[in-house]
Amino acid sequence: MEGMVVLGRTSFVYTLLLWSLKDCWCAVMVTVTPKVDAIKGETAILPCSFSSPVTLGNTFIEWFIEEGGSRKRVAFRTVSGATEGIDEGNQLSGRVSMGQNNSLLISPVRVEDERRFHCQVTAGISGTGEATTKLSVFFAPEKPVLAGSSQPIPVDQTPSPQVGQCTSRNGFPAPRLIWYKNSNPLPEVKDHNEPTYMVSSVVKEASGLFTVSSTLYLRPKKKDKNAKFRCTVEYSMPNDTIDQQNSESFTLNLLYPTEEVTFSLMNSVPVKEGDNVTMKCVADGNPEPTYDFTFINKGKETPKHATDGMLTLHSVTRADNGTYRCEALDFDAKDIELTKELKLIVHYLDPVKITPAGSHVVPLGESIQLECKTKGSDVHTLEWKKGTATLSNSGMLMINSASYADAGLYICESSVFTVPGLYARGNVTLRVSGKPEIAPAPEAKVHNMGDTVTLSCSAYGYPDPQFSWTPSGKQAVMVQENKVISTLTLEATETVLNGGVTCEATNEHGKDTQQFMVVISKESSTDNGGAGRADKQQGGAAGVVVAVVVCVLLLLLLVTLLYCLQKNGKLPCGKEDKKEVASGDIKNDIVVEMKSEKAKEDTELLSKHPATEQ
Ligand SMILES: *[C@@H]1O[C@H](CO)[C@@H](O)[C@H](O)[C@H]1NC(C)=O
Ligand SMILES: *[C@@H]1O[C@H](CO)[C@@H](O)[C@H](O)[C@H]1NC(C)=O
Ligand SMILES: *[C@@H]1O[C@H](CO)[C@@H](O)[C@H](O)[C@H]1NC(C)=O
Ligand SMILES: *[C@@H]1O[C@H](CO)[C@@H](O)[C@H](O)[C@H]1NC(C)=O
Ligand SMILES: *[C@@H]1O[C@H](CO)[C@@H](O)[C@H](O)[C@H]1NC(C)=O
């Protein structure tokens, strides 16, 4: 009907246009985003667009809210922008504007802006259209804060005591608090008769934001002593997102009586005298009780002082062997044994005792018996040793018909295999007395008469022999194990070379003499002067080896040649009898002859060599 009126007032062309669009000619289609999410304090954009058959500059777009039971306009404009404005006197005043695309901009968004907004378009002849947007406002609450009672809580208390309070401030919409025990959520229980329940509250702040808090009541068990409690705030955010923030976690300071006492030795290896020993007593109650320690030995009880349940004994002796008792002083404990005992075994080994004791002098050829003894807490070994050799595995050591070689240090060692580090050791020195015995000596060599020569005269015998030399010279004496060695340095005079030198060793048991020969060594006399010697020295071992190899090769060649000649009859054999033996033997014979000659040369060459190096 209205279309007919308009028809009369407008041009024909325009009418045709309307008719061609007749499917929607009478409708203004308004499109908005039905649901807009915004965060408090930020900017919310509420888009609005429309379509109409004819859009004229004076098409009018208005945004409305509902306030106090009636519609109030908050902003408006015409498509051309010729007219536009903001309405005063509503809760959005001062915070809204309209974009050229007809969006409503709210900045900053407040929680009370959560409401419905209507975008209305009035397009003259095309009529009016409208669409509604719902604005939702969000605001993340603060991290939850725990106000825990740090008071100790006795277990199994009735009614359930308060164990913690959790508060999360300023969220929108109102967030939810969830309690966790060891990362398992606790179901929300409101019934105060249950062992575990929560009391929650929600407070709306002046800002419109919500502060939520929850108090947890529970009846803790001993097994909850290490349980970690916390609370979590769960809240909605734009785009259907759910976020969480966790509080710090806390454990309960539970009070419970001792149910078990343990008393144990901390040492990992068997205890021996001199060790430090630690014994630990632990009662599983909270608070941990104090302890009383007692040492019980042969019915006598001695109190022991200890701190924190640790009884430490320094450098124990066998007197510390015995029973130790720990008593946990927990007066809340019921029907349990608060006393524990521990047997401390201190292993020991006495110092070894050797009889006869001290140092001994045994006449040459006589016998001696040594006995080694010790006492200990355990089975132990007894070993007699001289140097690295083990002589006896019992405590007895028998030396029959003592020789000078038997003189020396004898060690008796005792050990307990089951107790590492437990051993005892003693020793005895044995001397064999008798007349001196001089060890035979090789002849001494000099290069030339008049050279200095040093002779060593080594004699067994105890008491230590005295030495005298004829002829005499510069003398020195040293003691080596069970021998005494006298060294003499003198000039190899003609007398010395002809008559030798005599060493005489004497002690109270008798004497021994030994003649030392001094000779001019052959090598030094065949030495033919400076130049030759220098050459030989330079040639060295390599020269000798080359010479030997060449000689052998030449000899082999010669042998082969001789053999061939003889076999062909070109060379008559020198000896009659050689003709009679088989040809194979002849060959062997010759080889043997040559070899022995070669060997002689070799020895000469080799023996010369060390002489040249001197
Ligand atoms: C409308 O205009 C505003 C600024 O005037 C802009 O922020 C917004 O993104 C625009 N919206 C659309 C749907 O174009
Ligand atoms: C919400 O989702 C829309 C589209 O999925 C995205 O453009 C926008 O950034 C999201 N907003 C937030 C706050 O995540
Ligand atoms: C025993 O304890 C004392 C003092 O703490 C320490 O000096 C000593 O080295 C310890 N002895 C042993 C064998 O551990
Ligand atoms: C050491 O003490 C233990 C335990 O009380 C006991 O069995 C043992 O006979 C004692 N040993 C010695 C040598 O006293
Ligand atoms: C022999 O025993 C003595 C005295 O007990 C001791 O001082 C000495 O060190 C021991 N000698 C050896 C080599 O064990």
Side-chain angles (χ1 to χ4, degrees):
M1 292 297 260
E2 202 169 283
M4 297 304 281
V5 178
V6 172
L7 192 70
R9 283 198 254 145
T10 48
S11 71
F12 182 67
V13 177
Y14 189 61
T15 309
L16 277 181
L17 185 66
L18 278 177
W19 275 111
S20 66
L21 296 167
K22 73 174 187 303
D23 279 349
C24 55
W25 70 280
C26 58
V28 176
M29 295 294 293
V30 180
T31 310
V32 295
T33 309
K35 194 175 169 299
V36 172
D37 290 350
I39 290 173
K40 175 189 177 289
E42 295 184 358
T43 302
I45 299 167
L46 278 54
C48 183
S49 57
F50 65 92
S51 62
S52 74
V54 181
T55 301
L56 298 174
N58 63 354
T59 300
F60 200 46
I61 302 106
E62 295 161 291
W63 280 96
F64 292 92
I65 59 169
E66 279 148 35
E67 200 180 60
S70 64
R71 271 197 177 201
K72 278 192 181 161
R73 194 178 66 183
V74 292
F76 59 91
R77 73 188 289 272
T78 53
V79 171
S80 63
T83 311
E84 62 180 0
I86 306 298
D87 296 281
E88 297 298 326
N90 61 72
Q91 64 166 42
L92 287 155
S93 301
R95 296 187 289 122
V96 286
S97 60
M98 262 179 90
Q100 289 193 345
N101 55 19
N102 305 321
S103 296
L104 181 70
L105 277 73
I106 309 168
S107 183
V109 173
R110 290 189 192 155
V111 292
E112 61 266 28
D113 297 339
E114 178 162 301
R115 60 173 65 245
R116 287 139 68 88
F117 289 79
H118 311 283
C119 178
Q120 184 183 305
V121 179
T122 309
I125 55 155
S126 301
T128 304
E130 184 185 300
T132 302
T133 290
K134 167 101 174 61
L135 175 66
S136 297
V137 180
F138 299 89
F139 195 64
E142 291 165 22
K143 178 179 158 147
V145 177
L146 283 167
S149 65
S150 58
Q151 291 296 310
I153 302 166
V155 293
D156 295 324
Q157 200 190 38
T158 317
S160 297
Q162 174 183 334
V163 298
Q165 190 179 39
C166 177
T167 304
S168 178
R169 309 185 65 82
N170 299 327
F172 194 90
R176 191 160 86 94
L177 287 174
I178 305 156
W179 284 96
Y180 281 81
K181 175 174 144 187
N182 292 332
S183 46
N184 299 316
L186 296 176
E188 182 149 5
V189 177
K190 294 207 155 79
D191 183 352
H192 291 25
N193 295 318
E194 293 292 320
T196 300
Y197 64 90
M198 296 88 180
V199 174
S200 307
S201 73
V202 181
V203 172
K204 187 166 187 177
E205 306 283 347
S207 59
L209 298 175
F210 295 102
T211 290
V212 290
S213 65
S214 175
T215 309
L216 176 66
Y217 293 81
L218 62 81
R219 194 179 305 161
K221 302 280 178 204
K222 186 175 167 185
K223 66 177 160 58
D224 295 328
K225 63 179 174 165
N226 293 320
K228 279 194 154 63
F229 290 88
R230 68 170 156 85
C231 78
T232 295
V233 64
E234 201 177 82
Y235 52 93
S236 303
M237 288 300 278
N239 285 1
D240 298 323
T241 312
I242 304 287
D243 280 350
Q244 288 190 335
Q245 287 191 76
N246 295 329
S247 71
E248 307 296 329
S249 62
F250 67 103
T251 52
L252 303 178
N253 182 10
L254 295 183
L255 299 179
Y256 44 88
T258 297
E259 288 176 352
E260 201 186 357
V261 180
T262 55
F263 188 29
S264 49
L265 182 65
M266 305 308 280
N267 296 50
S268 53
V269 292
V271 174
K272 58 181 184 299
E273 282 190 320
D275 286 354
N276 293 338
V277 173
T278 304
M279 289 169 266
K280 192 166 168 52
C281 196
V282 180
D284 62 354
N286 190 46
E288 194 180 355
T290 53
Y291 306 93
D292 264 0
F293 291 95
T294 315
F295 174 46
I296 307 153
N297 195 1
K298 295 176 188 116
K300 191 169 162 267
E301 301 202 352
T302 318
K304 289 275 173 185
H305 177 74
T307 48
D308 297 336
M310 297 267 267
L311 177 61
T312 302
L313 307 175
H314 289 286
S315 194
V316 292
T317 68
R318 62 196 74 175
D320 296 311
N321 185 83
T323 303
Y324 289 79
R325 187 167 66 205
C326 164
E327 186 182 2
L329 304 175
D330 189 338
F331 305 108
D332 294 329
K334 288 177 194 76
D335 307 328
I336 70 132
E337 188 54 76
L338 289 168
T339 300
K340 280 284 155 81
E341 286 190 351
L342 182 157
K343 283 180 167 46
L344 176 69
I345 298 174
V346 179
H347 300 270
Y348 63 89
L349 195 57
D350 283 342
V352 301
K353 202 174 149 211
I354 297 170
T355 42
S359 290
H360 303 292
V361 178
V362 184
L364 190 65
E366 300 212 349
S367 300
I368 185 171
Q369 179 175 317
L370 295 168
E371 191 183 5
C372 173
K373 276 202 271 192
T374 181
K375 285 207 296 289
S377 53
D378 304 80
V379 175
H380 51 268
T381 59
L382 273 176
E383 249 187 3
W384 274 107
K385 279 181 173 178
K386 183 169 191 258
T388 53
T390 302
L391 305 175
S392 156
N393 282 317
S394 68
M396 301 297 282
L397 179 66
M398 188 72 202
I399 295 162
N400 288 315
S401 183
S403 71
Y404 284 130
D406 292 325
L409 179 77
Y410 289 79
I411 292 172
C412 172
E413 191 173 276
S414 176
S415 50
V416 177
F417 287 132
T418 50
V419 184
L422 184 56
Y423 65 88
R425 208 182 261 169
N427 65 57
V428 61
T429 302
L430 202 68
R431 292 184 214 286
V432 177
S433 68
K435 80 180 194 54
E437 269 176 31
I438 300 175
E443 57 181 24
K445 285 171 182 162
V446 288
H447 290 180
N448 302 300
M449 189 195 292
D451 285 357
T452 306
V453 67
T454 299
L455 305 168
S456 281
C457 182
S458 163
Y460 289 111
Y462 186 80
D464 288 348
Q466 302 293 310
F467 292 86
S468 69
W469 292 85
T470 343
S472 73
K474 216 175 111 202
Q475 256 178 272
V477 177
M478 63 172 177
V479 179
Q480 205 181 63
E481 286 174 37
N482 44 16
K483 288 183 288 193
V484 183
I485 299 162
S486 169
T487 53
L488 176 79
T489 307
L490 83 173
E491 191 185 314
T493 59
E494 197 173 352
T495 328
V496 168
L497 289 168
N498 291 338
V501 183
T502 306
C503 166
E504 185 180 87
T506 318
N507 70 8
E508 62 188 54
H509 300 293
K511 65 176 181 182
D512 190 15
T513 58
Q514 176 82 42
Q515 194 167 39
F516 289 77
M517 299 310 295
V518 181
V519 297
I520 307 264
S521 80
K522 240 196 263 171
E523 288 77 21
S524 56
S525 62
T526 53
D527 190 8
N528 51 5
R533 186 196 277 175
D535 278 350
K536 278 184 194 165
Q537 275 174 341
Q538 275 171 4
V544 174
V545 171
V546 168
V548 169
V549 168
V550 168
C551 277
V552 170
L553 286 175
L554 281 174
L555 283 167
L556 279 173
L557 201 66
L558 191 62
V559 168
T560 318
L561 192 67
L562 284 172
Y563 175 66
C564 290
L565 287 174
Q566 199 185 45
K567 215 179 175 189
N568 296 341
K570 284 180 184 168
L571 189 81
C573 272
K575 284 177 187 171
E576 196 88 57
D577 52 358
K578 275 189 180 173
K579 278 180 190 166
E580 281 158 23
V581 292
S583 56
D585 282 348
I586 291 168
K587 177 185 149 198
N588 279 349
D589 222 2
I590 293 165
V591 172
V592 168
E593 262 180 39
M594 292 310 180
K595 263 187 181 166
S596 63
E597 219 177 300
K598 184 206 74 155
K600 224 193 287 168
E601 274 189 41
D602 274 0
T603 35
E604 262 181 40
L605 274 164
L606 287 168
S607 59
K608 268 181 213 165
H609 172 63
T612 56
E613 277 198 341
Q614 275 164 9

